[in-house]
Amino acid sequence: MTVESRVVSPYPWAPGFYPGDRPEIVTSRFQYEDGHTLDRYLATGGYEGLRAALAESPSDVHEVVKNSTLLGRGGAGFPAGVKWGFTPQGVWPRYLVVNGDESEPGTYKDRLLMECDPHQLIEGSLIASYAAGLSQGFLYIRGEMALAHERVAQALNDAYAAGYIGKNILGTDFSIDIVLHWGAGAYVVGEETALIESLEGERGMPRLKPPFFPAAVGLYGMPTIVNNVETLSNLPFIAREGSEAYTAIGTPTSPGTRMIAVSGHVKRPGVYEIVNGSTTFRDLIFGDDFAQGIRDGNELKAFVPGGGSAPWFLPDQLDIPFEGPAAGAAGSMLGSGAVMVMDSTTDIPAAALTLVQFYAHESCGKCVPCREGGTWLYRIVERIVAGHGTDADLETIFEVGQTICPGEMPHASSERLGLDAVPFPYKMTTICFVGPSAYAPIHSALTLFPEEFEALVTKRADRRPIPVTAEVPA
Amino acid sequence: MSRLSDHNVILAKEIIARYPKQKSALIPLVHLSQEQNGYVTEDAMRHIADMIDVTPAEVYGTASFYEMFRFEPTGKYLINVCGTLSCSLMGADSLMHHAEQTLGIKAGATTDDGLITLQHAECQAACTEAPTLQVNYRHRYRVTHESFDQLVDDLRSGALDTEIPPHGTLGRNRQQIPADRAVAVQAPEDVTTGPAWIQVSPA
């Protein structure tokens, strides 16, 4: 199998991670096998960001984070400092919920951050809580990540014992409990309001918003900051080095670095910490420092630029930089930082089927267009791939898509098909993005590679009635 | 006997005390019961309902939403083979077929000796190391047909007993909040003022 011939990460304890000659903000301790221990953390500048933050007033720390323009890494890319500012004045208590329910197809960064550097996440959570006045934190980790649970539990125990969490942290007035919470397997819980429902002991179904976002009405109806693991992991650096050191990396609108997983048909699939904004998809897929090109000398056919929910890109879009607005104008999104690469051998309908299946399976069932639409998309695509589809099925896919995402669905431009790009975002009839996510991959596949579907389906005119040969008994 | 054991009741009380509202402990407690029994039993759900003051139906209502909770006896080892895009591109279908042939069961079933349950799973966040599978939620990377056979042999011989605890055990350690370091958890309605370190300017 080709599996054996692929390059293996230089750090066996951080599977998939490849360092490079690039700034390391969140992955600086991945080089150490014991990077998850308190000893190593303290020996490499650990908890210095917290000390620096505690020496300043909470509002000053908040100001530093605002000035750093740290963008949320969960998918929406909203500035974290601005999000914290949405908490209403004078309403207490406020809570922190750390979103470690990473499960977007292709995405693979929070798990490494929790496994290889859990103290960095804890320190980031403490800095956020200090700045925004949050009095209890909940670290919600996806249930399927057993090793991350063990590492974070150990780190929390050590940090409590050493006086970094709990009452009067480092001898100051700052006190907070951080509770490790086990998820139990549900993709939709990555959506912040569903995460809060789940943390309250309910079925993980998203809440309707607006009007109330979690920053105003969240956990137990109180103001709640929900931040992604990677977002919080950036805070120790910002608190230690200052916002200018952070904005010096990347572009003004997308500063700092991002962790990107490049998987699929590439020579060196891996997780890379890249400079935000300036790195292009061509660098990521073909760069020597990154995925090193397509395996077996094949051609690139298409790639998913931002996790399973993102509309697909073609080789035409390789020179787009890894920056939200640029990807949006080209008809897709960066999402959670996951590039999945398909080479010329890929059976496009079968590839799309795996994603449609994922989202149909993960629909929570709250919104009808997603629950019914997603399921029907799956059934239809499955029968097309099995060779039982008709050309009417292709029209039905677009019809079902219209009930989930009315109007034009974003897609990339294609020189080969003479298509112009339809920019992001789309309209949607569901509360959260699971519904549109079920439609995005099949819409992309069908729009960009129509001939592969047409080759699979039977034309209506070709269908013949089943001949009746036996006598019908009287 | 599938209510929580005395030892687990003590753990459960510690977990409940960490949350401002006790229903938040529902999912952790169902995990605890699954760790004890290998799957989630009706008695355990009734017991949990008593402990956090909700109805058994509410416990089942929440628990049944989540994939990790199993309501019927499950193998000591649950093998989840990922089938989402990146793994699929790297041969997940062939791996699943091989797994079914090797174990002599279809995905979703348990071997006759009750040792291994095989399942299709969705993305496991190890996409660059495709194709992947998890045994009791512990990853195995770049799985080949040969390494799958080796894995099954090791599970049968007990060679992986220290690394992979039986199904239901999530972590081999637990969070412990020392009483002398813990901040008193209060119900949100009992909190009227801001935290001590925040200077609230007079209105």
Side-chain angles (χ1 to χ4, degrees):
Chain A
M1 287 172 88
T2 51
V3 180
E4 300 295 352
S5 62
R6 286 183 294 164
V7 190
V8 175
S9 164
Y11 309 142
W13 53 87
F17 176 73
Y18 295 91
D21 189 16
R22 298 182 293 276
E24 289 180 340
I25 291 181
V26 291
T27 62
S28 63
R29 285 179 203 88
F30 282 28
Q31 58 185 298
Y32 304 111
E33 187 170 1
D34 62 349
H36 57 278
T37 62
L38 182 59
D39 286 347
R40 174 63 70 189
Y41 193 66
L42 292 175
T44 50
Y47 290 108
E48 278 173 23
L50 176 65
R51 282 178 202 278
L54 291 180
E56 296 181 49
S57 74
S59 52
D60 286 351
V61 177
H62 189 172
E63 203 57 34
V64 169
V65 175
K66 259 194 220 162
N67 292 339
S68 74
T69 328
L70 169 64
L71 302 181
R73 301 290 201 258
F78 196 77
V82 177
K83 194 175 186 178
W84 300 354
F86 289 153
T87 47
Q89 290 290 313
V91 183
W92 311 100
R94 298 171 180 171
Y95 296 110
L96 171 73
V97 176
V98 181
N99 188 345
D101 193 67
E102 172 177 74
S103 24
E104 177 73 22
T107 312
Y108 169 27
K109 59 190 178 64
D110 296 346
R111 183 169 73 81
L112 280 184
L113 286 170
M114 292 188 283
E115 288 177 0
C116 299
D117 202 347
H119 282 286
Q120 180 172 253
L121 169 63
I122 293 170
E123 187 180 355
S125 306
L126 291 168
I127 294 167
S129 304
Y130 177 71
L134 317 176
S135 51
Q136 195 175 3
F138 299 92
L139 240 163
Y140 191 115
I141 302 181
R142 181 176 173 192
E144 287 97 330
M145 298 178 178
L147 183 61
H149 278 272
E150 290 177 359
R151 292 275 172 85
V152 173
Q154 189 59 48
L156 285 167
N157 290 349
D158 293 345
Y160 260 107
Y164 294 108
I165 320 178
K167 259 192 294 205
N168 300 109
I169 294 167
L170 298 175
T172 65
D173 281 345
F174 177 43
S175 302
I176 185 172
D177 273 329
I178 296 184
V179 176
L180 172 63
H181 188 89
W182 299 349
Y187 165 79
V188 65
V189 167
E191 200 277 341
E192 57 183 11
T193 56
L195 186 69
I196 287 170
E197 284 283 316
S198 180
L199 195 47
E200 291 183 358
E202 307 288 344
R203 294 169 79 85
M205 294 177 169
R207 295 175 180 172
L208 194 58
K209 59 175 187 177
F212 297 118
F213 288 87
V217 180
L219 185 63
Y220 312 125
M222 306 313 291
T224 304
I225 301 296
V226 185
N227 275 150
N228 174 264
V229 167
E230 191 190 351
T231 315
L232 291 168
S233 295
N234 275 283
L235 291 175
F237 178 91
I238 294 171
R240 203 171 61 232
E241 313 283 337
S243 59
E244 281 173 21
Y246 189 78
T247 50
I249 302 166
T251 60
T253 46
S254 304
T257 61
R258 273 197 78 156
M259 282 178 77
I260 308 294
V262 186
S263 60
H265 294 153
V266 287
K267 285 188 187 146
R268 197 178 76 165
V271 181
Y272 306 95
E273 182 168 6
I274 66 162
V275 172
N276 216 350
S278 56
T279 312
T280 65
F281 287 104
R282 188 182 297 281
D283 296 337
L284 270 177
I285 298 175
F286 290 97
D288 278 344
D289 215 14
F290 299 103
Q292 301 181 346
I294 307 299
R295 64 160 192 189
D296 302 341
N298 290 346
E299 298 278 307
L300 173 65
K301 190 169 191 177
F303 61 99
V304 188
S309 317
W312 299 3
F313 276 165
L314 298 169
D316 301 14
Q317 281 81 36
L318 273 174
D319 291 309
I320 293 170
F322 210 90
E323 193 188 34
S332 188
M333 61 170 184
L334 297 186
S336 50
V339 179
M340 291 182 278
V341 179
M342 293 173 264
D343 74 7
S344 42
T345 65
T346 310
D347 177 345
I348 291 288
L353 173 64
T354 66
L355 289 173
V356 176
Q357 180 181 9
F358 177 90
Y359 292 102
H361 179 81
E362 297 295 345
S363 173
C364 76
K366 187 165 184 169
C367 309
V368 179
C370 170
R371 183 184 68 217
E372 299 300 318
T375 308
W376 275 110
L377 284 177
Y378 170 55
R379 289 183 193 172
I380 294 168
V381 181
E382 192 187 33
R383 77 167 168 247
I384 291 173
V385 171
H388 304 307
T390 69
D391 55 352
D393 283 337
L394 302 184
E395 291 158 31
T396 312
I397 289 174
F398 286 119
E399 260 171 49
V400 174
Q402 281 298 309
T403 65
I404 304 173
C405 297
E408 276 203 296
M409 188 69 184
H411 63 74
S413 63
S414 165
E415 214 171 293
R416 184 177 68 92
L417 297 171
L419 277 179
D420 288 331
V422 173
F424 217 70
Y426 39 66
K427 294 192 186 110
M428 56 198 263
T429 58
T430 54
I431 293 174
C432 82
F433 287 96
V434 175
S437 300
Y439 181 49
I442 186 62
H443 177 268
S444 288
L446 198 45
T447 307
L448 303 175
F449 300 95
E451 70 284 359
E452 295 203 21
F453 288 87
E454 279 155 17
L456 278 174
V457 298
T458 316
K459 300 286 178 208
R460 263 173 293 195
D462 298 341
R463 290 173 73 90
R464 297 277 183 275
I466 298 167
V468 179
T469 49
E471 289 281 313
V472 180
Chain B
M1 283 303 287
S2 57
R3 288 164 61 88
L4 292 183
S5 67
D6 290 350
H7 174 71
N8 281 338
V9 167
I10 295 170
L11 283 176
K13 284 182 178 162
E14 272 178 33
I15 293 170
I16 293 168
R18 287 175 194 165
Y19 295 95
K21 296 208 169 175
Q22 53 188 10
K23 194 176 179 186
S24 283
L26 197 156
I27 291 172
L29 295 196
V30 178
H31 270 304
L32 191 63
S33 79
Q34 181 157 270
E35 178 172 338
Q36 176 184 300
N37 302 318
Y39 68 106
V40 183
T41 65
E42 289 188 13
D43 276 353
M45 287 191 280
R46 286 197 192 93
H47 193 180
I48 291 166
D50 276 350
M51 295 187 75
I52 57 173
D53 199 20
V54 298
T55 64
E58 281 176 276
V59 176
Y60 182 63
T62 295
S64 58
F65 183 81
Y66 298 92
E67 271 159 46
M68 288 175 73
F69 296 135
R70 299 180 60 88
F71 299 93
E72 53 196 50
T74 298
K76 182 178 176 191
Y77 299 109
L78 175 66
I79 298 184
N80 282 331
V81 180
C82 179
T84 310
L85 183 58
S86 293
C87 285
S88 168
L89 291 172
M90 299 309 290
D93 289 351
S94 151
L95 176 62
M96 185 52 129
H97 180 71
H98 177 77
E100 290 181 337
Q101 297 292 318
T102 305
L103 297 172
I105 50 174
K106 291 290 281 180
T110 304
T111 52
D112 286 342
D113 57 3
L115 193 70
I116 294 172
T117 300
L118 180 70
Q119 268 195 160
H120 167 94
E122 302 294 353
C123 189
Q124 299 174 338
C127 313
T128 68
E129 308 304 294
T132 67
L133 58 80
Q134 286 187 317
V135 187
N136 293 351
Y137 304 107
R138 273 127 182 109
H139 284 96
R140 284 292 177 277
Y141 303 121
R142 305 188 182 206
V143 184
T144 60
H145 293 184
E146 296 73 38
S147 68
F148 183 85
D149 295 347
Q150 184 65 46
L151 172 70
V152 172
D153 289 346
D154 289 347
L155 291 174
R156 289 214 161 109
S157 71
L160 293 170
D161 279 0
T162 51
E163 191 193 338
I164 302 177
H167 173 251
T169 308
L170 200 52
R172 288 166 297 177
N173 60 356
R174 295 179 202 283
Q175 184 186 12
Q176 277 150 349
I177 301 182
D180 61 323
R181 295 282 314 136
V183 185
V185 176
Q186 288 178 290
E189 51 272 22
D190 296 338
V191 180
T192 49
T193 56
W197 70 93
I198 295 279
Q199 303 293 322
V200 181
S201 52

